[in-house]
Amino acid sequence: MTYALPPLNALRAFEAAARHLSFKLAAHELHVTPAAVGQQVKALEARLGVQLFERLHKQLILTEAGRAYLPGISEGFRHIAEATSQLKPAGTVLLQVGVHGSYDLRRLELGAFRSAHADIGLSVLQPAGLHELVEGKVDVLIARGASHHPGYRCERINEGSGPGDWLVAPEGTADCPEIVSFRAWLRALPAAKTLADRRPRLVGGFGS
């Protein structure tokens, strides 16, 4: 069965804005800008063909259609959250890390990270870029050359000139314990050595 669903991020923006009756408070909850929430809601209204909010001066009011739509959307997100919590091991925080396509994951020493941080359930999406971060598909991103992105904290994780690799996280969650731990891990890794410097070279195999 295929479900006819609007974009989930647009639904999240509507649901949060409807609960708060404020794009600003919804933006704070979702770690995006108020303008981004407004754009998502506008796109949802266009897709549905109905107006969900009355936008008055310094006031947001649900229309009749918005009031009818909200309970089902809120209930749907509640069911998703409950189903997800049942899969999540007790005491484990899930961290979704996005990585750009040209980055060698062996540099991250993920096995050692997982051993050292048993309380963090780490998963990696590669390739991933700013789109996946903005869409909420990953919590933090290792991006190439992303030195600035409004609403996000961008920190270079390697030395030297050129575009470089950057750790990008939403301003609202950049100091969450799991992201702080991952950032510290990146900083503690040996400075960008090539695999040839760190591992014996295989002669006669692929890539020789």
Side-chain angles (χ1 to χ4, degrees):
M1 177 179 179
T2 300
Y3 294 97
L5 297 175
L8 291 182
N9 275 344
L11 292 177
R12 290 181 68 203
F14 161 71
E15 197 273 341
R19 277 190 287 106
H20 294 293
L21 290 179
S22 167
F23 287 165
K24 182 177 180 180
L25 293 178
H28 180 75
E29 176 181 322
L30 299 175
H31 312 299
V32 297
T33 65
V37 173
Q39 290 168 2
Q40 291 277 13
V41 171
K42 186 176 180 180
L44 179 62
E45 290 175 324
R47 185 184 181 101
L48 298 175
V50 297
Q51 186 175 351
L52 300 171
F53 291 102
E54 291 284 350
R55 296 160 175 83
L56 306 179
H57 180 62
K58 295 185 178 181
Q59 188 176 13
L60 198 63
I61 299 176
L62 281 166
T63 63
E64 183 178 350
R67 289 193 300 272
Y69 198 40
L70 177 61
I73 300 303
S74 295
E75 184 73 3
F77 280 127
R78 185 181 68 79
H79 284 307
I80 292 171
E82 289 177 353
T84 301
S85 68
Q86 292 176 9
L87 294 177
K88 179 179 174 181
T92 299
V93 176
L94 301 180
L95 180 64
Q96 305 277 350
V97 178
V99 184
H100 68 81
S102 62
Y103 194 92
D104 191 332
L105 292 180
R106 288 174 291 182
R107 291 169 52 188
L108 296 178
E109 300 183 6
L110 295 176
F113 177 87
R114 292 185 176 105
S115 296
H117 300 84
D119 59 326
I120 299 176
L122 180 70
S123 66
V124 175
L125 176 65
Q126 187 185 44
L130 289 172
H131 176 76
E132 282 73 21
L133 184 62
V134 171
E135 290 293 312
K137 295 178 181 177
V138 297
D139 302 308
V140 66
L141 174 71
I142 295 177
R144 185 71 174 168
S147 60
H148 176 70
H149 194 65
Y152 293 81
R153 186 184 304 179
C154 303
E155 301 170 278
R156 187 158 183 153
I157 59 176
N158 61 353
E159 298 179 357
S161 58
D165 295 317
W166 297 73
L167 186 69
V168 185
E171 286 286 0
T173 58
D175 291 320
C176 288
E178 59 272 21
I179 293 180
V180 169
S181 295
F182 187 69
R183 182 185 299 117
W185 179 262
L186 291 177
R187 290 173 175 169
L189 290 174
K193 295 181 180 179
T194 65
L195 290 175
D197 293 333
R198 296 170 56 191
R199 298 169 182 257
R201 181 174 175 79
L202 298 178
V203 179
F206 291 105
S208 62

